[in-house]
Amino acid sequence: AVVSTQSTGALEKQTVYHNSPSPDYYVARNKKKFMVREEECTEVPVTPTPMRTVVEGVYGDYHVATEELLQFFKENLTYPPKYIHIDPTFCRLLVPGLHADTVLQFLEQKGF
């Protein structure tokens, strides 16, 4: 996806995510597949080791993306996660638990 910044005023800038169904954020693909995986949280020193779902290639307003994803979890899961960790350094979202299938449903339903 091509991302461009347009100047609409004196110092006002707006980022436009081309080919994105959301004006607020974009979720990239790698070789036509979303970069969603489930992994162990090895940095947490407890047993059994907790699992998390990692969504990579997320750009834009992370707060809008997490709010929409949390709402989707609430509507579709009996026990939805209560939070999503934002990792802006690596452009990813970290969801506690094994939710790759639900995340993929969300992305497909949104039109990414």
Side-chain angles (χ1 to χ4, degrees), residues 3-5 14 30 33 35 38 70 97 99-100 102 104:
V3 178
S4 65
T5 303
Q14 178 185 0
N30 183 11
K33 291 186 178 180
M35 296 171 280
E38 295 171 344
L70 283 171
H99 299 293
T102 309
L104 290 172

Side-chain angles (χ1 to χ4, degrees), residues 33 44 82:
K33 291 186 178 180
V44 181
K82 301 283 185 210

